[in-house]
Each structure stands twice: as C-alpha cells, then as structure tokens.
Amino acid sequence: GSLSPSPTMWPFPAKPEPVPVAPDPTMMEMMFGDKPTPFIVCTVMWFLHGFVLDIIIIGVLPLISGEKTASAMFYNVKLPNLAPQHRRFIAENSAYAAMRIAPIFFTNNLPVLLITVVSYFVEGLTICWEIISYKSPSDAMPPATLMGVFASVVTYAATTNADGYIKEVDPTVLMALQVFCGLTWACWLGSVYGTATAKKD
C-alpha cells in the first residue's frame, strides 16, 4: 500500500517546538533567591545589624573619624578613641557580627540560626549585667529590647519554616533555639528591673 506522508517530510515540515524562555529574575529574586518572606526579613535584619552597625558603625568609623562609638558604653568619658577598652568593645561586636552575618549565606541551616539567637542572648545578658551591677545609663534599654526582638524574629522564621525552606529540622536544635529566645527576654526583664531600681537610688 501507499505510505502516508509524514508530517515532518517535505513539502510540509512540522514547525519546531518553541523553546521555553525563562523569565528574567526580579530584583527580589536576585537579592534573596528563593527565601520565603520571614527569612527575607531576617536577612535584611542581619545585614543592617550585623554588617552596617557591628562592622561599619562600631568597627570602621572610629578608625576613619577619630570618634568613639557608643560613648554611653564607656563610663570614663575621658577615655580616648581606640583605647584598649574601646578596642575590646570593637572586637566584641566584630564577634557578634560574624554570628549575625553568617546566616545571610546559610539561612536554611538551623544550627547556624541557633548560634545567631545565642548571640542575641549573650548580648542581652551582658546588657542586663551592666544595668544591674554597674548602673549603666537607661538608654541601654533600647538595645536590650532589640536583642529580644531580633531573637524573636529568627525564632519565628525557624519555627514556622515557611515553604519547608529549612530542609533538615532537628527538633532538639529547634527547641534550644526557642529556649535561648526565651532566655533573651528573661534578660530583658532583668534589665527592666535594674533600670527601675536604679532610678530609686
């Protein structure tokens, strides 16, 4: 019998299948990849707090401006810029920065997020200690509050885990993260107590 013409044969060649073209990534996708919104909020927070504040404002500006950073932290107002006490303050915040910049690149790593929350607890504990034991100025309360807020933001993102962004969730690590968030707020309560009692002295 006769062969029916193939649709791919001359004179009626089949049209080639169109090649799908991937859409250009948006600005948000280029900056944050596939991070869900809670983790985008965390990333912006880590950049502003860990890099801009702890590195640029506290660590770099004193080197180029000749001015002390966070002068309220130094009880001897005659302390010169970059004196040993000031240098230790810069080093301390550089260590905090390392723990707060790392999760920008390892956002879906739960142990890294735990270390970040622990850093908020440690700083909150330090502020609480200074307020209670050394009667530091009342303007130490805003950073004490921020430690609790930052810890809560990270804890919320890790606990809700939008879109299953964190692939490996160890319940023990998650519980530890939540506990340290609670301890950070306990330090905040201690700071409130220390500030309130200091006003009576």
Side-chain angles (χ1 to χ4, degrees):
S2 61
L3 297 175
S4 59
S6 169
T8 60
M9 294 176 60
W10 184 89
F12 304 107
K15 293 182 179 180
E17 292 292 331
V19 178
V21 178
D24 293 333
T26 64
M27 181 64 69
M28 289 287 288
E29 290 173 337
M30 288 190 292
M31 292 177 61
F32 302 109
D34 60 347
K35 293 181 181 181
T37 300
F39 293 99
I40 292 177
V41 173
C42 287
T43 300
V44 173
M45 178 183 74
W46 292 324
F47 175 78
L48 294 176
H49 186 211
F51 181 73
V52 176
L53 176 62
D54 287 337
I55 295 294
I56 301 300
I57 295 178
I58 291 179
V60 175
L61 284 184
L63 299 175
I64 61 179
S65 68
E67 296 293 333
K68 287 186 294 185
T69 48
S71 58
M73 300 296 293
F74 303 103
Y75 306 110
N76 178 4
V77 295
K78 297 180 180 179
L79 184 71
N81 184 51
L82 300 179
Q85 184 180 357
H86 188 198
R87 291 177 184 272
R88 286 194 296 272
F89 178 68
I90 292 174
E92 172 191 346
N93 280 273
S94 297
Y96 288 143
M99 291 183 280
R100 293 161 187 173
I101 294 175
I104 293 177
F105 306 100
F106 304 99
T107 312
N108 60 354
N109 188 306
L110 191 59
V112 171
L113 299 183
L114 169 60
I115 292 173
T116 304
V117 173
V118 170
S119 80
Y120 298 133
F121 162 70
V122 171
E123 186 165 359
L125 179 62
T126 301
I127 295 171
C128 177
W129 186 6
E130 291 178 352
I131 289 176
I132 293 176
S133 299
Y134 299 98
K135 308 302 180 185
S136 64
S138 59
D139 59 4
M141 275 308 302
T145 304
L146 285 175
M147 294 307 109
V149 172
F150 294 157
S152 297
V153 171
V154 178
T155 302
Y156 172 81
T159 302
T160 57
N161 194 20
D163 300 334
Y165 183 69
I166 302 174
K167 304 304 181 185
E168 298 180 9
V169 178
D170 185 328
T172 303
V173 176
L174 181 60
M175 181 179 295
L177 186 150
Q178 294 165 342
V179 167
F180 275 104
C181 179
L183 290 174
T184 305
W185 282 110
C187 293
W188 179 82
L189 290 175
S191 298
V192 171
Y193 168 79
T195 301
T197 54
K199 292 179 180 178
K200 299 176 182 178
D201 294 341

